[in-house]
Amino acid sequence: QVQLVESGGGLVQPGGSLRLSCAASGSISSIYAMGWYRQAPGNERELVAEITSGGSRNYADSVKGRFTISRDNAKNTVYLQMNSLKPEDTAVYYCNVVGTTLKVTFSSWGQGTQVTVSS
């Protein structure tokens, strides 16, 4: 079983910054990809950014140039540095990790962390 623990959400003014963290633990053999998704009220969950085991990054157009995803492989942790935040970035942010345990491939989700951008 794989557990994900997220932290770093909160309330910030427009133009401000936040850093999200997500640590994976459990019987993990390897991690293929780590990513962040978000879901605003009334909207579907959407990809914000993802990073592969090889370090390739993919961003939603709406966050390019403002958000940066990174990972610490030794700690099985993924980060999302969010700068120049806008009110439309307000959402619950979820991390997702895809990998393998000793027996199976998994895709696990974090519990979600609220990000609110408001003056």
Side-chain angles (χ1 to χ4, degrees), residues 19-115:
R19 188 191 194 209
L20 306 182
S21 299
C22 173
S25 62
S27 302
I28 299 171
S29 296
S30 63
I31 293 178
Y32 300 145
M34 308 179 85
W36 289 95
Y37 292 71
R38 67 187 181 188
Q39 187 168 19
N43 291 352
E44 294 185 352
R45 191 173 296 188
E46 62 177 1
L47 174 68
V48 176
E50 62 182 355
I51 183 169
T52 68
S53 58
S56 296
R57 294 169 172 84
N58 181 39
Y59 296 95
D61 288 342
S62 60
V63 307
K64 284 180 180 177
R66 301 188 297 121
F67 290 10
T68 302
I69 190 169
S70 61
R71 60 190 283 177
D72 184 333
N73 291 330
K75 297 181 179 180
N76 287 340
T77 299
V78 61
Y79 306 95
L80 186 68
Q81 178 66 44
M82 305 185 293
N83 298 329
S84 302
L85 282 160
K86 304 176 180 180
E88 51 263 44
D89 294 318
T90 296
V92 178
Y93 284 68
Y94 299 90
C95 73
N96 174 254
V97 175
V98 179
T100 59
T101 64
L102 293 175
K103 297 182 179 181
V104 299
T105 299
F106 68 87
S107 176
S108 293
W109 291 90
Q111 78 279 8
T113 186
Q114 178 70 47
V115 172

Coordinates of all heavy atoms in Angstrom, one line a residue, residues 19-115:
R19 N 4.4 26.9 -2.0 CA 5.1 25.7 -2.4 C 4.3 24.5 -1.8 O 4.2 24.4 -0.6 CB 6.5 25.7 -1.9 CG 7.4 24.6 -2.5 CD 8.7 24.5 -1.8 NE 9.6 23.7 -2.5 CZ 10.6 23.0 -1.8 NH1 10.7 23.1 -0.5 NH2 11.5 22.3 -2.5
L20 N 3.9 23.6 -2.7 CA 3.2 22.4 -2.3 C 4.3 21.2 -2.2 O 5.2 21.2 -3.1 CB 2.1 22.0 -3.2 CG 1.0 23.1 -3.5 CD1 -0.1 22.5 -4.4 CD2 0.4 23.6 -2.2
S21 N 4.1 20.3 -1.3 CA 4.9 19.1 -1.2 C 4.0 17.9 -1.1 O 2.9 18.0 -0.6 CB 5.8 19.2 0.1 OG 6.6 20.3 0.0
C22 N 4.5 16.8 -1.6 CA 3.8 15.5 -1.5 C 4.8 14.4 -1.4 O 5.7 14.2 -2.3 CB 3.0 15.3 -2.8 SG 2.2 13.7 -2.9
A23 N 4.7 13.7 -0.2 CA 5.7 12.7 0.1 C 5.0 11.3 -0.1 O 3.9 11.1 0.5 CB 6.2 12.8 1.5
A24 N 5.6 10.4 -0.8 CA 5.0 9.1 -1.0 C 5.8 8.1 -0.1 O 7.0 8.2 0.1 CB 5.2 8.6 -2.4
S25 N 5.0 7.2 0.6 CA 5.7 6.2 1.4 C 4.9 4.8 1.2 O 3.8 4.8 0.7 CB 5.6 6.6 2.9 OG 4.3 6.7 3.3
G26 N 5.6 3.8 1.7 CA 5.1 2.4 1.5 C 6.1 1.5 0.8 O 7.2 1.9 0.6
S27 N 5.6 0.4 0.3 CA 6.4 -0.6 -0.3 C 6.6 -0.2 -1.8 O 6.2 -1.0 -2.7 CB 5.8 -2.0 -0.2 OG 5.6 -2.3 1.2
I28 N 7.3 0.9 -2.0 CA 7.5 1.4 -3.4 C 8.8 0.8 -4.0 O 9.9 1.0 -3.4 CB 7.6 2.9 -3.4 CG1 6.2 3.5 -2.9 CG2 7.8 3.4 -4.8 CD1 6.3 5.0 -2.6
S29 N 8.7 0.2 -5.1 CA 9.9 -0.3 -5.8 C 10.4 0.8 -6.8 O 11.6 1.0 -6.9 CB 9.6 -1.6 -6.6 OG 9.2 -2.6 -5.8
S30 N 9.5 1.4 -7.5 CA 10.0 2.4 -8.4 C 8.8 3.4 -8.7 O 7.6 3.0 -8.5 CB 10.4 1.8 -9.8 OG 9.4 1.1 -10.4
I31 N 9.1 4.6 -9.1 CA 8.1 5.6 -9.4 C 8.4 6.1 -10.8 O 9.5 6.5 -11.2 CB 8.2 6.8 -8.4 CG1 7.8 6.4 -7.0 CG2 7.3 8.0 -8.9 CD1 7.9 7.5 -6.0
Y32 N 7.3 6.0 -11.6 CA 7.4 6.4 -13.0 C 7.2 7.9 -13.2 O 7.9 8.6 -13.9 CB 6.4 5.6 -13.9 CG 6.5 4.1 -13.9 CD1 5.4 3.3 -13.9 CD2 7.8 3.5 -13.8 CE1 5.5 2.0 -13.9 CE2 7.9 2.2 -13.8 CZ 6.8 1.4 -13.8 OH 6.9 0.0 -13.8
A33 N 6.1 8.4 -12.6 CA 5.8 9.8 -12.8 C 5.1 10.3 -11.5 O 4.4 9.6 -10.8 CB 4.8 9.9 -14.0
M34 N 5.3 11.6 -11.3 CA 4.6 12.3 -10.2 C 4.0 13.6 -10.8 O 4.6 14.2 -11.6 CB 5.7 12.6 -9.1 CG 6.5 11.5 -8.7 SD 7.7 11.8 -7.4 CE 6.7 11.7 -5.9
G35 N 2.8 13.9 -10.3 CA 2.2 15.0 -10.8 C 1.2 15.7 -9.9 O 1.0 15.2 -8.8
W36 N 0.8 16.9 -10.3 CA -0.2 17.7 -9.5 C -1.4 18.0 -10.4 O -1.2 18.4 -11.6 CB 0.5 19.0 -9.1 CG 1.5 18.9 -8.0 CD1 2.8 18.8 -8.2 CD2 1.2 18.8 -6.6 NE1 3.4 18.6 -6.9 CE2 2.5 18.6 -6.0 CE3 0.1 18.8 -5.8 CZ2 2.6 18.5 -4.6 CZ3 0.2 18.7 -4.4 CH2 1.5 18.5 -3.8
Y37 N -2.5 17.8 -9.8 CA -3.8 18.1 -10.5 C -4.5 19.1 -9.6 O -4.2 19.2 -8.4 CB -4.6 16.8 -10.6 CG -4.1 15.9 -11.6 CD1 -2.9 15.1 -11.4 CD2 -4.7 15.6 -12.9 CE1 -2.4 14.2 -12.3 CE2 -4.2 14.7 -13.8 CZ -3.1 14.0 -13.5 OH -2.6 13.1 -14.4
R38 N -5.6 19.7 -10.1 CA -6.4 20.6 -9.3 C -7.8 20.5 -9.8 O -8.1 20.2 -10.9 CB -5.9 22.0 -9.4 CG -6.0 22.7 -10.8 CD -5.4 24.1 -10.7 NE -5.5 24.8 -12.0 CZ -4.9 25.9 -12.3 NH1 -4.1 26.5 -11.4 NH2 -5.1 26.5 -13.5
Q39 N -8.7 20.8 -8.8 CA -10.1 20.8 -9.1 C -10.8 22.0 -8.4 O -10.7 22.1 -7.2 CB -10.8 19.5 -8.7 CG -12.2 19.3 -9.1 CD -12.7 17.9 -8.9 OE1 -12.1 17.1 -8.1 NE2 -13.8 17.6 -9.6
A40 N -11.4 22.9 -9.2 CA -12.1 24.0 -8.6 C -13.6 23.6 -8.6 O -14.0 22.7 -9.3 CB -11.9 25.2 -9.5
P41 N -14.4 24.3 -7.7 CA -15.8 23.9 -7.6 C -16.5 24.0 -9.0 O -16.4 25.0 -9.7 CB -16.3 25.0 -6.6 CG -15.1 25.4 -5.8 CD -14.0 25.3 -6.7
G42 N -17.2 23.0 -9.3 CA -18.0 22.9 -10.5 C -17.2 22.5 -11.7 O -17.7 22.4 -12.8
N43 N -15.9 22.3 -11.5 CA -15.0 22.0 -12.7 C -14.5 20.5 -12.5 O -14.5 20.0 -11.4 CB -13.8 22.9 -12.7 CG -14.2 24.3 -13.2 OD1 -15.3 24.6 -13.5 ND2 -13.2 25.2 -13.1
E44 N -14.0 20.0 -13.6 CA -13.4 18.7 -13.6 C -12.0 18.8 -13.1 O -11.3 19.9 -13.2 CB -13.4 18.0 -15.0 CG -14.8 17.7 -15.5 CD -14.8 17.0 -16.8 OE1 -13.7 16.8 -17.4 OE2 -15.8 16.5 -17.2
R45 N -11.4 17.7 -12.6 CA -10.0 17.7 -12.2 C -9.2 17.8 -13.4 O -9.4 17.2 -14.4 CB -9.7 16.4 -11.4 CG -8.3 16.4 -10.7 CD -8.2 15.2 -9.9 NE -9.1 15.2 -8.8 CZ -9.1 14.3 -7.8 NH1 -8.1 13.3 -7.7 NH2 -10.0 14.3 -6.8
E46 N -8.1 18.7 -13.3 CA -7.3 18.9 -14.5 C -5.8 18.8 -14.1 O -5.4 19.1 -13.0 CB -7.5 20.3 -15.1 CG -7.2 21.5 -14.1 CD -7.4 22.8 -14.8 OE1 -7.7 22.9 -16.0 OE2 -7.1 23.8 -14.1
L47 N -5.0 18.4 -15.1 CA -3.6 18.3 -14.8 C -3.0 19.7 -14.7 O -3.2 20.6 -15.6 CB -2.9 17.5 -16.0 CG -1.4 17.5 -16.0 CD1 -0.9 16.6 -14.8 CD2 -0.8 16.9 -17.3
V48 N -2.1 19.9 -13.7 CA -1.4 21.1 -13.6 C 0.0 21.0 -14.1 O 0.5 21.7 -14.9 CB -1.4 21.6 -12.1 CG1 -0.5 22.9 -12.0 CG2 -2.8 21.8 -11.6
A49 N 0.7 19.9 -13.6 CA 2.1 19.7 -14.0 C 2.4 18.2 -13.7 O 1.9 17.7 -12.7 CB 3.1 20.6 -13.3
E50 N 3.4 17.7 -14.4 CA 3.8 16.3 -14.1 C 5.3 16.2 -14.5 O 5.8 17.0 -15.3 CB 3.0 15.3 -14.9 CG 3.1 15.4 -16.4 CD 2.3 14.4 -17.1 OE1 1.7 13.5 -16.4 OE2 2.2 14.4 -18.4
I51 N 6.0 15.3 -13.8 CA 7.4 15.1 -14.0 C 7.6 13.6 -14.0 O 7.2 12.8 -13.2 CB 8.3 15.8 -13.0 CG1 9.7 15.6 -13.3 CG2 7.9 15.3 -11.6 CD1 10.6 16.5 -12.4
T52 N 8.4 13.1 -15.0 CA 8.7 11.7 -15.2 C 9.9 11.3 -14.4 O 10.7 12.2 -13.9 CB 8.8 11.3 -16.6 OG1 10.1 11.9 -17.1 CG2 7.7 11.8 -17.5
S53 N 10.2 10.0 -14.4 CA 11.4 9.5 -13.7 C 12.6 10.0 -14.4 O 13.7 10.2 -13.7 CB 11.4 8.0 -13.6 OG 11.3 7.5 -14.9
G54 N 12.5 10.3 -15.6 CA 13.7 10.8 -16.4 C 13.9 12.3 -16.3 O 14.8 12.9 -16.8
G55 N 12.9 13.0 -15.6 CA 13.0 14.4 -15.4 C 12.3 15.3 -16.4 O 12.3 16.5 -16.4
S56 N 11.5 14.6 -17.4 CA 10.8 15.4 -18.3 C 9.6 16.0 -17.6 O 8.9 15.4 -16.8 CB 10.3 14.5 -19.4 OG 11.4 14.0 -20.2
R57 N 9.3 17.3 -18.0 CA 8.2 18.0 -17.3 C 7.1 18.4 -18.3 O 7.5 18.7 -19.5 CB 8.8 19.3 -16.6 CG 9.7 19.0 -15.5 CD 10.4 20.3 -15.0 NE 11.2 20.1 -13.8 CZ 12.4 19.6 -13.8 NH1 13.0 19.3 -14.9 NH2 13.0 19.5 -12.6
N58 N 5.9 18.4 -17.9 CA 4.8 18.9 -18.7 C 3.9 19.8 -17.8 O 3.6 19.4 -16.7 CB 4.0 17.6 -19.2 CG 2.8 18.0 -20.1 OD1 2.9 18.9 -20.9 ND2 1.7 17.3 -19.9
Y59 N 3.5 20.9 -18.4 CA 2.7 21.9 -17.7 C 1.4 22.2 -18.5 O 1.4 22.2 -19.7 CB 3.5 23.2 -17.5 CG 4.7 23.1 -16.6 CD1 6.0 22.9 -17.2 CD2 4.6 23.2 -15.2 CE1 7.1 22.8 -16.4 CE2 5.7 23.1 -14.4 CZ 7.0 22.9 -15.0 OH 8.1 22.8 -14.2
A60 N 0.4 22.5 -17.7 CA -0.8 23.1 -18.3 C -0.4 24.5 -18.9 O 0.4 25.2 -18.3 CB -1.9 23.2 -17.3
D61 N -1.1 24.9 -20.0 CA -0.7 26.2 -20.6 C -1.0 27.3 -19.6 O -0.3 28.3 -19.6 CB -1.6 26.4 -21.8 CG -1.1 25.5 -23.0 OD1 0.0 25.0 -23.0 OD2 -1.9 25.3 -23.9
S62 N -2.0 27.1 -18.8 CA -2.4 28.2 -17.9 C -1.4 28.5 -16.8 O -1.4 29.6 -16.1 CB -3.8 27.9 -17.2 OG -3.7 26.7 -16.5
V63 N -0.4 27.6 -16.5 CA 0.5 27.8 -15.5 C 2.0 27.9 -16.0 O 2.9 28.1 -15.2 CB 0.4 26.6 -14.4 CG1 -1.0 26.5 -13.9 CG2 1.0 25.3 -14.9
K64 N 2.2 27.7 -17.3 CA 3.5 27.8 -17.8 C 4.2 29.1 -17.5 O 3.6 30.2 -17.7 CB 3.5 27.6 -19.3 CG 3.3 26.1 -19.7 CD 3.3 25.9 -21.2 CE 3.1 24.5 -21.6 NZ 3.0 24.3 -23.1
G65 N 5.4 29.1 -17.0 CA 6.1 30.3 -16.7 C 5.9 30.8 -15.3 O 6.6 31.7 -14.8
R66 N 4.9 30.2 -14.6 CA 4.6 30.6 -13.2 C 4.8 29.5 -12.2 O 5.2 29.7 -11.1 CB 3.1 31.1 -13.1 CG 2.8 32.2 -14.0 CD 1.4 32.8 -13.7 NE 0.3 31.8 -14.0 CZ -0.5 31.3 -13.1 NH1 -0.5 31.8 -11.9 NH2 -1.4 30.4 -13.5
F67 N 4.6 28.2 -12.6 CA 4.7 27.1 -11.7 C 5.9 26.3 -12.2 O 6.2 26.2 -13.4 CB 3.4 26.2 -11.8 CG 2.2 26.8 -11.2 CD1 2.1 28.1 -10.8 CD2 1.1 26.0 -11.0 CE1 1.0 28.7 -10.3 CE2 -0.1 26.5 -10.5 CZ -0.1 27.9 -10.1
T68 N 6.5 25.7 -11.2 CA 7.7 24.8 -11.4 C 7.5 23.5 -10.6 O 7.3 23.6 -9.4 CB 9.0 25.4 -11.1 OG1 9.2 26.6 -11.8 CG2 10.2 24.5 -11.4
I69 N 7.5 22.3 -11.3 CA 7.5 21.1 -10.6 C 8.9 20.5 -10.5 O 9.7 20.6 -11.4 CB 6.5 20.1 -11.4 CG1 6.3 18.8 -10.5 CG2 7.1 19.7 -12.8 CD1 5.1 18.0 -11.1
S70 N 9.1 19.9 -9.4 CA 10.4 19.2 -9.1 C 10.2 18.0 -8.3 O 9.1 17.8 -7.7 CB 11.4 20.2 -8.5 OG 11.0 20.6 -7.2
R71 N 11.2 17.1 -8.2 CA 11.1 16.0 -7.4 C 12.4 15.6 -6.7 O 13.5 15.9 -7.3 CB 10.6 14.8 -8.2 CG 11.5 14.4 -9.4 CD 10.8 13.4 -10.3 NE 10.8 12.0 -9.7 CZ 10.2 11.0 -10.2 NH1 9.6 11.1 -11.4 NH2 10.3 9.8 -9.7
D72 N 12.3 15.0 -5.6 CA 13.5 14.5 -4.8 C 13.3 13.0 -4.8 O 12.5 12.4 -4.1 CB 13.5 15.0 -3.4 CG 14.8 14.6 -2.7 OD1 15.3 13.5 -2.9 OD2 15.2 15.4 -1.8
N73 N 14.1 12.3 -5.7 CA 13.9 10.8 -5.8 C 14.3 10.1 -4.5 O 13.7 9.1 -4.2 CB 14.7 10.3 -7.0 CG 14.2 10.8 -8.3 OD1 13.0 11.0 -8.5 ND2 15.1 11.0 -9.3
A74 N 15.3 10.6 -3.8 CA 15.7 9.9 -2.6 C 14.6 10.0 -1.5 O 14.6 9.1 -0.7 CB 17.0 10.6 -2.1
K75 N 13.8 11.0 -1.6 CA 12.7 11.1 -0.6 C 11.3 10.8 -1.1 O 10.3 10.9 -0.4 CB 12.7 12.6 -0.1 CG 14.0 13.0 0.6 CD 13.8 14.5 1.1 CE 15.1 14.9 1.9 NZ 15.0 16.3 2.4
N76 N 11.3 10.3 -2.4 CA 10.0 10.1 -3.0 C 9.0 11.2 -2.8 O 7.8 11.0 -2.5 CB 9.4 8.8 -2.5 CG 10.1 7.5 -3.0 OD1 10.8 7.6 -4.0 ND2 9.9 6.4 -2.3
T77 N 9.5 12.4 -3.1 CA 8.7 13.6 -2.8 C 8.7 14.5 -4.1 O 9.7 14.6 -4.8 CB 9.3 14.4 -1.7 OG1 9.3 13.6 -0.5 CG2 8.5 15.7 -1.4
V78 N 7.5 15.0 -4.3 CA 7.3 16.0 -5.5 C 6.9 17.3 -4.9 O 6.2 17.4 -3.9 CB 6.3 15.4 -6.5 CG1 4.9 15.2 -5.9 CG2 6.2 16.3 -7.7
Y79 N 7.4 18.4 -5.6 CA 7.1 19.7 -5.1 C 6.4 20.5 -6.3 O 6.7 20.2 -7.5 CB 8.4 20.5 -4.7 CG 9.2 19.7 -3.7 CD1 10.2 18.9 -4.1 CD2 8.9 19.9 -2.3 CE1 11.0 18.2 -3.1 CE2 9.7 19.2 -1.4 CZ 10.7 18.4 -1.8 OH 11.4 17.7 -0.8
L80 N 5.7 21.5 -5.9 CA 5.1 22.4 -6.9 C 5.3 23.8 -6.4 O 4.7 24.2 -5.4 CB 3.6 22.1 -7.2 CG 3.0 23.0 -8.3 CD1 3.6 22.6 -9.6 CD2 1.5 22.8 -8.3
Q81 N 6.2 24.5 -7.0 CA 6.5 25.9 -6.6 C 5.5 26.8 -7.5 O 5.6 26.7 -8.7 CB 7.9 26.3 -6.9 CG 8.2 27.8 -6.6 CD 8.1 28.1 -5.2 OE1 8.5 27.4 -4.3 NE2 7.5 29.3 -4.9
M82 N 4.7 27.5 -6.8 CA 3.7 28.3 -7.5 C 3.9 29.8 -7.3 O 3.9 30.3 -6.1 CB 2.3 28.0 -7.1 CG 1.9 26.5 -7.2 SD 0.2 26.1 -6.7 CE 0.3 26.4 -5.0
N83 N 4.3 30.5 -8.3 CA 4.6 32.0 -8.3 C 3.5 32.7 -9.0 O 2.8 32.2 -9.9 CB 6.0 32.3 -8.8 CG 7.1 31.6 -8.0 OD1 6.9 31.4 -6.8 ND2 8.1 31.2 -8.7
S84 N 3.5 34.0 -8.8 CA 2.5 34.9 -9.5 C 1.1 34.3 -9.5 O 0.5 34.3 -10.6 CB 3.0 35.1 -11.0 OG 4.3 35.7 -11.0
L85 N 0.7 33.9 -8.4 CA -0.6 33.3 -8.3 C -1.8 34.2 -8.6 O -1.7 35.4 -8.3 CB -0.8 32.7 -6.9 CG -0.1 31.4 -6.6 CD1 0.1 31.1 -5.1 CD2 -0.8 30.2 -7.3
K86 N -2.8 33.6 -9.3 CA -4.0 34.4 -9.7 C -5.2 33.8 -9.0 O -5.2 32.6 -8.6 CB -4.1 34.3 -11.2 CG -2.9 34.7 -12.0 CD -3.1 34.4 -13.5 CE -1.9 34.8 -14.3 NZ -2.1 34.6 -15.8
P87 N -6.3 34.6 -8.9 CA -7.5 34.1 -8.3 C -8.0 32.8 -9.0 O -8.6 31.9 -8.4 CB -8.5 35.2 -8.5 CG -7.6 36.5 -8.5 CD -6.4 36.1 -9.2
E88 N -7.8 32.7 -10.3 CA -8.2 31.5 -11.0 C -7.4 30.3 -10.7 O -7.8 29.2 -11.2 CB -8.2 31.8 -12.6 CG -7.0 32.3 -13.1 CD -7.0 33.9 -13.3 OE1 -7.5 34.5 -12.3 OE2 -6.5 34.4 -14.3
D89 N -6.3 30.4 -10.0 CA -5.6 29.2 -9.5 C -6.2 28.6 -8.2 O -5.8 27.6 -7.8 CB -4.1 29.6 -9.2 CG -3.4 30.1 -10.4 OD1 -3.5 29.4 -11.4 OD2 -2.6 31.1 -10.3
T90 N -7.2 29.3 -7.7 CA -7.9 28.7 -6.5 C -8.6 27.4 -6.8 O -9.3 27.3 -7.8 CB -9.0 29.7 -6.0 OG1 -8.4 30.9 -5.6 CG2 -9.8 29.1 -4.9
A91 N -8.2 26.4 -6.0 CA -8.7 25.0 -6.2 C -8.2 24.1 -5.1 O -7.3 24.6 -4.3 CB -8.2 24.5 -7.6
V92 N -8.7 22.9 -5.1 CA -8.0 21.9 -4.3 C -7.0 21.2 -5.2 O -7.3 20.8 -6.3 CB -9.0 20.8 -3.8 CG1 -8.3 19.7 -3.0 CG2 -10.1 21.5 -2.9
Y93 N -5.8 21.1 -4.7 CA -4.7 20.5 -5.4 C -4.4 19.1 -4.9 O -4.3 18.9 -3.7 CB -3.4 21.4 -5.3 CG -3.5 22.7 -6.2 CD1 -4.4 23.7 -5.9 CD2 -2.7 22.8 -7.3 CE1 -4.5 24.8 -6.7 CE2 -2.7 23.9 -8.1 CZ -3.6 24.9 -7.7 OH -3.7 26.1 -8.5
Y94 N -4.3 18.2 -5.9 CA -4.0 16.8 -5.5 C -2.7 16.3 -6.2 O -2.5 16.6 -7.3 CB -5.2 15.9 -6.1 CG -6.5 16.2 -5.5 CD1 -7.4 17.1 -6.1 CD2 -7.0 15.5 -4.4 CE1 -8.6 17.4 -5.6 CE2 -8.3 15.8 -3.9 CZ -9.1 16.7 -4.5 OH -10.3 17.0 -4.0
C95 N -1.9 15.6 -5.4 CA -0.8 15.0 -6.1 C -1.1 13.6 -6.5 O -2.0 12.9 -5.9 CB 0.5 15.0 -5.2 SG 0.4 13.9 -3.8
N96 N -0.5 13.1 -7.5 CA -0.6 11.8 -8.1 C 0.7 11.1 -8.3 O 1.6 11.8 -8.8 CB -1.5 11.8 -9.3 CG -1.6 10.5 -10.0 OD1 -0.9 10.2 -11.1 ND2 -2.4 9.6 -9.5
V97 N 0.8 9.9 -7.9 CA 2.1 9.2 -8.1 C 1.8 7.8 -8.8 O 0.9 7.1 -8.3 CB 2.8 8.9 -6.8 CG1 4.1 8.0 -7.0 CG2 3.2 10.2 -6.1
V98 N 2.5 7.5 -9.8 CA 2.4 6.3 -10.6 C 3.7 5.5 -10.5 O 4.8 6.1 -10.7 CB 2.0 6.5 -12.0 CG1 1.9 5.2 -12.8 CG2 0.7 7.3 -12.2
G99 N 3.6 4.3 -10.1 CA 4.8 3.5 -9.9 C 4.5 2.0 -9.7 O 3.4 1.5 -10.0
T100 N 5.5 1.3 -9.1 CA 5.3 -0.1 -8.8 C 5.6 -0.4 -7.4 O 6.6 0.2 -6.8 CB 6.1 -1.0 -9.8 OG1 7.5 -0.7 -9.6 CG2 5.7 -0.8 -11.2
T101 N 4.9 -1.4 -6.8 CA 5.3 -2.0 -5.6 C 6.0 -3.3 -5.9 O 6.4 -3.5 -7.1 CB 4.1 -2.2 -4.6 OG1 3.3 -3.2 -5.3 CG2 3.3 -1.0 -4.4
L102 N 6.2 -4.1 -5.0 CA 6.8 -5.4 -5.3 C 6.0 -6.3 -6.2 O 6.5 -7.1 -6.9 CB 7.1 -6.2 -4.0 CG 8.1 -5.6 -3.0 CD1 8.2 -6.3 -1.7 CD2 9.5 -5.5 -3.7
K103 N 4.7 -6.0 -6.2 CA 3.8 -6.9 -6.9 C 3.0 -6.2 -8.0 O 2.7 -6.9 -9.0 CB 2.8 -7.6 -5.9 CG 3.5 -8.5 -4.9 CD 2.4 -9.1 -4.0 CE 3.0 -10.0 -2.9 NZ 2.0 -10.6 -2.1
V104 N 2.6 -5.0 -7.8 CA 1.7 -4.4 -8.7 C 2.1 -3.0 -9.1 O 2.9 -2.3 -8.4 CB 0.3 -4.4 -8.1 CG1 -0.2 -5.8 -7.9 CG2 0.2 -3.5 -6.9
T105 N 1.5 -2.5 -10.2 CA 1.6 -1.1 -10.6 C 0.5 -0.3 -9.9 O -0.6 -0.8 -9.7 CB 1.4 -0.9 -12.1 OG1 2.4 -1.7 -12.8 CG2 1.5 0.5 -12.5
F106 N 0.8 0.8 -9.4 CA -0.2 1.6 -8.7 C -0.3 3.0 -9.2 O 0.7 3.5 -9.8 CB 0.2 1.7 -7.2 CG 1.4 2.5 -6.8 CD1 1.4 3.8 -6.6 CD2 2.7 1.8 -6.8 CE1 2.5 4.6 -6.4 CE2 3.8 2.6 -6.5 CZ 3.7 3.9 -6.3
S107 N -1.4 3.7 -8.9 CA -1.6 5.1 -9.2 C -2.3 5.6 -7.9 O -3.5 5.3 -7.7 CB -2.5 5.3 -10.4 OG -2.7 6.7 -10.6
S108 N -1.6 6.4 -7.1 CA -2.2 6.8 -5.9 C -2.4 8.3 -5.8 O -1.7 9.1 -6.5 CB -1.2 6.4 -4.7 OG -1.2 5.0 -4.5
W109 N -3.4 8.7 -5.1 CA -3.8 10.2 -5.0 C -3.6 10.6 -3.5 O -3.9 9.9 -2.6 CB -5.2 10.4 -5.4 CG -5.4 10.2 -6.9 CD1 -5.8 9.0 -7.5 CD2 -5.3 11.1 -7.9 NE1 -5.9 9.2 -8.8 CE2 -5.6 10.5 -9.1 CE3 -5.0 12.5 -7.9 CZ2 -5.6 11.2 -10.3 CZ3 -5.0 13.2 -9.1 CH2 -5.3 12.5 -10.3
G110 N -3.2 11.9 -3.4 CA -3.1 12.5 -2.1 C -4.5 12.9 -1.7 O -5.5 12.8 -2.4
Q111 N -4.6 13.4 -0.4 CA -5.9 13.8 0.1 C -6.4 15.1 -0.4 O -7.6 15.5 -0.2 CB -5.8 13.8 1.7 CG -5.1 15.0 2.3 CD -3.6 15.0 2.2 OE1 -3.0 14.1 1.6 NE2 -3.0 16.0 2.9
G112 N -5.5 15.9 -1.0 CA -5.9 17.2 -1.5 C -5.5 18.3 -0.5 O -5.6 18.1 0.7
T113 N -5.1 19.4 -1.0 CA -4.8 20.6 -0.2 C -5.4 21.8 -0.9 O -5.2 22.0 -2.1 CB -3.3 20.8 0.0 OG1 -3.0 21.8 0.9 CG2 -2.5 21.0 -1.3
Q114 N -6.1 22.7 -0.1 CA -6.7 23.8 -0.6 C -5.8 25.0 -0.8 O -5.0 25.3 0.0 CB -7.8 24.3 0.4 CG -8.6 25.5 -0.1 CD -9.5 25.3 -1.3 OE1 -10.2 24.3 -1.3 NE2 -9.4 26.2 -2.3
V115 N -5.9 25.5 -2.0 CA -5.1 26.8 -2.4 C -6.2 27.8 -2.7 O -7.0 27.6 -3.6 CB -4.2 26.5 -3.5 CG1 -3.6 27.9 -4.0 CG2 -3.1 25.6 -3.2

